[in-house]
Amino acid sequence: MGRYQGRNYWIELMMAFFVTTSIICVLEAIMGMLFAPDVQLSYKAFFVPPVFGAGSVLLGLVNYSRKELTIRQVLCRRAVHLVLVEGMVFGANFAVGAVFSRIESVALAISIAVVFILVYGVLYLNDSWHAKQFNRELRRFQGCLQKAQ
């Protein structure tokens, strides 16, 4: 998430929440099919992706800054964010008594990192699309102004 203020910042947080939740749903299905294909989940399982999505977005507040950050500062904050998300997921699983084998733990850690990268990728593509739209409108507006002169 870039430098947003006010309403735009909250819109970006909501976008991050929905993208994160969607990708977590897909990840859960894939991980479940690979490591526990016999397990049938209850309807309570539908609450897990939004809870982790909300937690990830809240932990993402570590990226917030009132001033423009350097690339190094952004990458450092994103690394801290990833470590916090990994800790949240593993901590929550530990708290409910989930036990993972070594391979499952590694797969989960890698999957969390992949989700993290995909979320930021989708947000980047969305921001890029909006920037292109804005620039296109700006060029159109400037063209109208030049014709009027």
Side-chain angles (χ1 to χ4, degrees), residues 20-33:
T20 303
T21 302
S22 299
I23 295 173
I24 290 171
C25 285
V26 173
L27 170 72
E28 248 184 21
I30 292 169
M31 294 289 283
M33 289 188 308

Side-chain angles (χ1 to χ4, degrees), residues 37-135:
D38 304 343
V39 175
Q40 300 252 336
L41 299 174
S42 72
Y43 287 112
K44 293 177 189 175
F46 285 109
F47 292 110
V48 174
V51 168
F52 281 139
S56 178
V57 168
L58 288 175
L59 292 173
L61 293 175
V62 74
N63 294 310
Y64 181 78
S65 176
R66 290 179 186 250
K67 59 181 181 168
E68 197 70 34
L69 300 173
T70 66
I71 292 175
R72 184 182 204 138
Q73 290 170 323
V74 169
L75 293 175
C76 182
R77 287 179 186 223
R78 297 245 171 109
V80 169
H81 183 198
L82 177 59
V83 169
L84 291 171
V85 171
E86 295 269 1
M88 174 191 66
V89 172
F90 279 99
N93 280 300
F94 179 76
V96 298
V99 179
F100 299 114
S101 69
R102 185 172 291 148
I103 188 75
E104 290 170 333
S105 295
V106 170
L108 182 58
I110 291 170
S111 298
I112 293 167
V114 168
V115 167
F116 189 82
I117 291 166
L118 285 173
V119 167
Y120 276 109
V122 169
L123 294 177
Y124 171 79
L125 290 174
N126 181 60
D127 290 345
S128 177
W129 181 82
H130 281 286
K132 285 178 186 173
Q133 290 292 103
F134 178 78
N135 287 333

